[in-house]
């Protein structure tokens, strides 16, 4: 019996604990698990989404097998090399259960022959495909599908410290400094200035002191000390076992039908060629990534493909004659017909073609969404005489501290307060047009004019911040925008936008709602105007600020828009109301 027991695999003989690979940062947060305990996964299938301030990274399965246990939960802060999952992988040393006495006897005899051999054990020692001490590192998630290497800040042979900037990468939206993931010596530069690169692409080899671990995403694969049989062999053995035990297999298939279906869905999504940022966007928008057609290189799905899919879905729903199946367009178009042929100079005269800036090009698909929004604009005036006097009293003191106190800081504060009182304006419309998704915090985007066009950085949780803190962050983000150094995180997540024209002139304008937001506040140049003072019985000069609120009429009606705009005007006239 002892020999027989040794020959039969136990439920833990193939279980192994796996550690997180090098994420490129010291610590990160578990954003969400993409699978659940009990699922069957394949090698390299995404398991969990890990997010840091710099990137979102999908950690793949190191082996094929069944998930036994999660060792970390969504929301946990984790570090490189930390145990995060237990997987029961397919073991080539497992013997199939004998279906008749003769096969069982043979199995027992074979087990008795090997009973003195130590059982196969799995260990979490990392493999390395690079020379000892050298590690190859991939680029983090840059927030865009591709970017250009602007310049290297180090050279081969330089000693670097962890988090020291290595190179500057520029995209249409921002310039990002990529830091060193470890301390060590730069051994090789894998990309050159001017190259176009993508997320995860290998870019540098660093010789880290005392380290032999590879920085690849599968660095934490376990190695069996006595078993060198490949997974394909194990699969063949398991297939033979299945054919021998058809009755048992049929019963198990019935009990695991739902799990198999879910595993197939996960496998289908895992096979889609899309990066972490795109997958996260599809989850936020409720889009099945496998339904989106990729227009990038080799069929890769880019963010514009997701937006185009949503746009065409909206069009299909709103047009009764549209086909049920929506296909992604080959290019971002506004729906307008092609331009006429302007080659005939006798008709059109001389023409000159000028390329749009990169920022203008990437903004066009977003602006095209306004075609599908029933947008209305509400106008009002705010008396900011008193708040401007308060700003004048404070600005010199703050200037000594290096803080530029603009009227925008006050506008942001009262707008955030107004949004908390009128949450419908701080929401999104669901894809099926049956619900509004209300944001519990106010993340305000504000337009900044740059040489390449308008950029909209985002300040998080404005409702929790004071005027001074807002003034500091406005100044910092505006400078980053002009220097093209905004990170992907600083450009996303807005729930409402403010577009201020400052002292550029004009009275009112119609700002465009930034989908999927449902409203935007436009602010024009203030001017001295006569206002009737009932107490004094005379006109007096007051500093008046024009307000223009554009809104999605599917979510907000005209009466609510008028009340909301007037509420902001009252708060600006007397910001002490915010303290009540």
């Amino acid at each position: 019996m002892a020999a027989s027991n040794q020959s039969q695999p136990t439920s833990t003989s193939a279980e192994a604990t796996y550690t997180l690979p090098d994420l490129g940062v010291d610590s990160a947060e578990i954003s969400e698990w993409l699978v659940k305990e009990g699922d069957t996964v394949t090698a390299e299938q995404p398991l969990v989404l890990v997010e840091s301030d710099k990137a979102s990274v999908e950690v793949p399965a190191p082996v094929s097998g069944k998930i036994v246990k999660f060792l970390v939960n969504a929301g946990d802060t984790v570090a490189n090399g930390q145990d995060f999952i237990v997987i029961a992988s397919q073991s080539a040393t497992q013997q199939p259960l004998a279906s008749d006495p003769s096969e069982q006897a043979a199995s027992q005899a074979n087990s008795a022959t090997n009973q003195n051999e130590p059982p196969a054990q799995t260990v979490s020692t990392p493999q390395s495909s690079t020379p000892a001490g050298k590690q190859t590192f991939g680029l983090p998630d840059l927030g865009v599908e591709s970017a250009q290497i602007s310049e290297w800040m180090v050279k081969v042979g330089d000693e670097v410290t962890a988090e020291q900037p290595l190179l500057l990468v520029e995209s249409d939206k921002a310039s990002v400094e990529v830091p060193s993931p470890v301390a060590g010596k730069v051994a090789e530069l894998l990309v050159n200035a001017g190259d176009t690169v993508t997320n995860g692409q290998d870019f540098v080899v660093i010789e880290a002191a005392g380290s032999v671990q590879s920085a690849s995403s599968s660095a934490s694969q376990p190695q069996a000390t006595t078993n060198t049989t490949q997974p394909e062999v194990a699969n063949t053995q398991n297939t033979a076992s299945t054919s021998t035990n058809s009755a048992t297999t049929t019963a198990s298939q019935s009990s695991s039908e739902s799990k198999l279906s879910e595993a197939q869905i996960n496998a289908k999504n895992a096979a889609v060629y899309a990066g972490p940022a795109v997958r996260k966007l599809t989850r936020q928008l409720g889009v099945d990534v496998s339904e989106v057609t990729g227009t990038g290189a080799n069929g890769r799905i880019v963010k514009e493909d997701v937006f185009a899919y949503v746009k065409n879905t909206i069009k299909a729903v709103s047009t009764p004659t549209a086909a049920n199946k929506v296909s992604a367009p080959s290019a971002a178009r506004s729906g307008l017909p092609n331009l006429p042929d302007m080659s005939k100079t006798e008709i059109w005269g001389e023409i000159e073609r000028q390329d749009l800036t990169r920022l203008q090009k990437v903004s066009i698909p977003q602006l095209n969404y306004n075609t599908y929004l029933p947008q209305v604009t509400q106008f009002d005036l705010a008396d900011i005489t008193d708040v401007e006097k308060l700003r004048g009293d404070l600005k010199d003191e703050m200037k000594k501290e290096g803080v530029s106190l603009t009227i925008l800081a006050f506008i942001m504060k009262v707008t955030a307060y107004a949004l908390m009182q009128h949450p419908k304006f701080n929401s999104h419309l669901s894809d099926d047009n049956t619900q509004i998704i209300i944001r519990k915090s106010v993340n305000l985007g504000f337009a900044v004019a740059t040489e390449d066009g308008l950029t909209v950085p985002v300040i998080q949780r404005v409702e929790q911040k004071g005027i001074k803190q807002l003034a500091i962050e406005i100044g910092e983000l505006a400078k980053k925008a002009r220097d093209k150094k905004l990170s992907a995180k600083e450009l996303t997540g807005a729930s409402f936008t403010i577009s201020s024209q400052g002292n550029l002139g004009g009275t009112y304008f119609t700002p465009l709602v930034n989908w999927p937001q449902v409203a935007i506040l436009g602010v024009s140049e203030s001017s001295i105007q006569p206002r009737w003072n009932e107490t004094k019985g005379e006109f007096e000069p007051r500093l008046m600020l024009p307000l223009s609120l554009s809104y999605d009429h599917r979510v907000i009606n005209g009466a609510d828009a008028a009340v909301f705009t007037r509420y902001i005007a009252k708060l600006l006239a007397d910001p002490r109301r915010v303290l009540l």
Side-chain angles (χ1 to χ4, degrees), residues 125-137 206-216 219:
T125 303
Q127 303 290 323
S128 176
S129 60
T130 55
K134 293 184 179 180
Q135 304 179 48
T136 300
F137 294 92
I206 298 178
E207 186 174 357
S211 174
V212 297
Q213 182 174 347
S214 170
S216 67

Side-chain angles (χ1 to χ4, degrees), residues 297-314:
N298 300 316
R300 181 181 179 87
I301 296 175
V302 297
K303 290 182 178 180
E304 286 73 17
D305 296 329
V306 179
F307 292 140
Y309 176 85
V310 173
K311 178 184 73 174
N312 279 273
T313 301
I314 295 174

Side-chain angles (χ1 to χ4, degrees), residues 66 92 106 116 138 147 164 196 230 287 296 324 359 375 379 409 419-420 440 475 479 533:
K66 183 178 180 181
N116 294 325
Q164 175 182 335
T196 298
Q230 296 299 318
V287 173
N324 292 330
L359 184 59
Q375 181 171 291
F379 304 109
L419 289 169
M420 296 301 289
K440 295 296 186 179
K479 185 178 186 304
N533 188 321

Side-chain angles (χ1 to χ4, degrees), residues 60-319:
V63 293
S64 298
K66 183 178 180 181
I67 297 174
V68 177
K69 185 179 181 181
F70 295 153
L71 302 180
V72 291
N73 301 314
D76 288 355
T77 299
V78 294
N80 299 328
Q82 179 176 337
D83 292 345
F84 80 107
I85 197 170
V86 178
I87 299 178
S89 59
Q90 295 172 340
S91 174
T93 61
Q94 294 183 359
Q95 299 294 327
L97 294 177
S99 60
D100 58 58
S102 61
E103 289 181 345
Q104 185 175 1
S107 175
Q108 291 176 352
N110 181 65
S111 176
T113 303
N114 297 283
Q115 62 180 332
N116 294 325
E117 295 182 7
Q121 298 182 9
T122 54
V123 295
S124 57
T125 303
Q127 303 290 323
S128 176
S129 60
T130 55
K134 293 184 179 180
Q135 304 179 48
T136 300
F137 294 92
L139 288 166
D141 190 336
L142 304 172
V144 292
E145 297 305 319
S146 62
Q148 188 177 67
I149 302 295
S150 177
E151 65 171 306
W152 277 97
M153 302 176 179
V154 295
K155 62 183 183 296
V156 174
D158 283 357
E159 295 286 344
V160 295
T161 59
E163 300 301 320
Q164 175 182 335
L166 296 180
L167 77 165
L168 183 65
V169 181
E170 288 193 346
S171 69
D172 300 323
K173 297 181 178 180
S175 296
V176 179
E177 289 182 349
V178 178
S180 176
V182 295
K185 183 178 181 179
V186 178
E188 185 179 357
L189 307 181
L190 303 179
V191 291
N192 302 314
D195 287 355
T196 298
V197 294
T198 57
N199 299 327
Q201 179 177 338
D202 292 343
F203 76 105
V204 71
V205 178
I206 298 178
E207 186 174 357
S211 174
V212 297
Q213 182 174 347
S214 170
S216 67
S217 62
S218 58
S220 59
Q221 292 187 10
Q223 177 184 13
T225 57
T226 62
N227 179 12
T228 58
T229 307
Q230 296 299 318
E232 290 77 7
V233 178
N235 290 336
T236 303
Q237 293 177 345
N238 288 334
T239 302
S241 176
T242 301
S243 63
T244 306
N245 300 278
S246 58
T248 305
T249 302
T250 302
S252 64
Q253 285 176 343
S254 176
S255 63
S256 61
E257 189 175 10
S258 60
K259 291 183 179 180
L260 178 60
S261 176
E262 292 174 358
Q264 288 173 346
I265 293 174
N266 290 335
K268 179 183 70 171
N269 290 340
V272 175
Y273 189 21
V278 170
R279 292 180 185 274
K280 182 178 180 182
L281 176 63
T282 59
R283 287 191 292 273
Q284 291 174 335
L285 298 179
V287 173
D288 183 351
V289 68
S290 65
E291 296 293 328
V292 181
T293 302
T295 60
N298 300 316
R300 181 181 179 87
I301 296 175
V302 297
K303 290 182 178 180
E304 286 73 17
D305 296 329
V306 179
F307 292 140
Y309 176 85
V310 173
K311 178 184 73 174
N312 279 273
T313 301
I314 295 174
K315 183 178 180 181
V317 171
S318 60
T319 306

Side-chain angles (χ1 to χ4, degrees), residues 497-569:
T497 298
I498 296 176
S499 179
S500 175
Q501 294 186 338
N503 297 322
L504 296 178
T507 53
Y508 298 94
F509 67 106
T510 305
L512 297 179
V513 175
N514 189 15
W515 181 87
Q517 298 165 38
V518 298
I520 180 174
L521 180 65
V523 181
S524 300
E525 183 179 14
S526 59
S527 62
I528 297 294
Q529 299 181 22
R531 309 298 289 184
W532 179 255
N533 188 321
E534 293 184 1
T535 303
K536 296 181 179 180
E538 61 183 12
F539 283 98
E540 60 181 5
R542 305 293 291 181
L543 185 62
M544 306 302 293
L545 180 72
L547 303 177
S548 306
L549 179 80
S550 294
Y551 56 93
D552 185 341
H553 209 346
R554 297 174 301 169
V555 178
I556 299 166
N557 59 47
D560 289 341
V563 170
F564 180 72
T565 311
R566 177 54 58 90
Y567 188 54
I568 290 178

Side-chain angles (χ1 to χ4, degrees), residues 222-491:
Q223 177 184 13
T225 57
T226 62
N227 179 12
T228 58
T229 307
Q230 296 299 318
E232 290 77 7
V233 178
N235 290 336
T236 303
Q237 293 177 345
N238 288 334
T239 302
S241 176
T242 301
S243 63
T244 306
N245 300 278
S246 58
T248 305
T249 302
T250 302
S252 64
Q253 285 176 343
S254 176
S255 63
S256 61
E257 189 175 10
S258 60
K259 291 183 179 180
L260 178 60
S261 176
E262 292 174 358
Q264 288 173 346
I265 293 174
N266 290 335
K268 179 183 70 171
N269 290 340
V272 175
Y273 189 21
V278 170
R279 292 180 185 274
K280 182 178 180 182
L281 176 63
T282 59
R283 287 191 292 273
Q284 291 174 335
L285 298 179
V287 173
D288 183 351
V289 68
S290 65
E291 296 293 328
V292 181
T293 302
T295 60
N298 300 316
R300 181 181 179 87
I301 296 175
V302 297
K303 290 182 178 180
E304 286 73 17
D305 296 329
V306 179
F307 292 140
Y309 176 85
V310 173
K311 178 184 73 174
N312 279 273
T313 301
I314 295 174
K315 183 178 180 181
V317 171
S318 60
T319 306
T321 58
N324 292 330
K325 185 175 180 181
V326 181
S327 59
S330 58
R333 297 293 300 273
S334 65
L336 297 172
N338 292 333
L339 289 172
D341 182 6
M342 296 184 177
S343 61
K344 297 180 180 180
T345 56
E346 64 273 16
I347 297 177
W348 301 99
E350 297 293 334
I351 62 172
E352 177 186 359
R353 294 183 177 271
Q354 295 183 351
D355 290 337
L356 296 175
T357 65
R358 290 183 297 175
L359 184 59
Q360 288 174 314
K361 290 177 182 178
V362 299
S363 298
I364 288 176
Q366 178 72 28
L367 293 172
N368 284 341
Y369 298 150
N370 288 95
T371 305
Y372 304 98
L373 298 181
Q375 181 171 291
V376 184
T377 305
Q378 173 73 29
F379 304 109
D380 211 326
L381 275 171
D383 186 343
I384 61 169
T385 307
D386 294 337
V387 75
E388 181 62 23
K389 182 179 183 301
L390 174 61
R391 188 181 75 89
D393 294 338
L394 298 174
K395 68 177 183 179
D396 290 339
E397 179 181 345
M398 288 196 181
K399 188 175 182 180
K400 294 177 182 178
E401 301 178 29
V403 180
S404 177
L405 182 60
T406 65
I407 191 65
L408 181 58
F410 291 89
I411 297 172
M412 277 194 175
K413 184 61 182 178
V414 301
T415 300
Y417 183 84
L419 289 169
M420 296 301 289
Q421 308 306 312
H422 299 264
K424 184 185 295 185
F425 291 82
N426 198 50
S427 70
H428 309 294
L429 180 64
S430 65
D431 291 333
D432 60 4
N433 297 335
T434 62
Q435 296 177 321
I436 58 172
I437 303 166
I438 296 175
R439 301 279 291 272
K440 295 296 186 179
S441 60
V442 178
N443 294 352
L444 287 185
F446 65 102
V448 177
T450 70
E451 292 181 356
D452 294 331
L454 285 179
T455 302
V456 186
V458 180
I459 297 181
Q460 307 286 330
R461 300 186 178 278
V462 176
E463 79 281 1
Q464 298 179 5
K465 298 174 180 178
I467 299 293
K468 182 178 180 181
Q469 181 61 33
L470 290 174
I472 293 173
E473 294 190 30
I474 290 170
E476 291 174 347
L477 291 175
K479 185 178 186 304
K480 280 188 175 183
R482 289 189 288 268
D483 295 339
K484 295 194 294 185
K485 290 188 176 182
L486 288 168
S487 67
K489 183 178 180 180
E490 292 167 334
L491 286 164

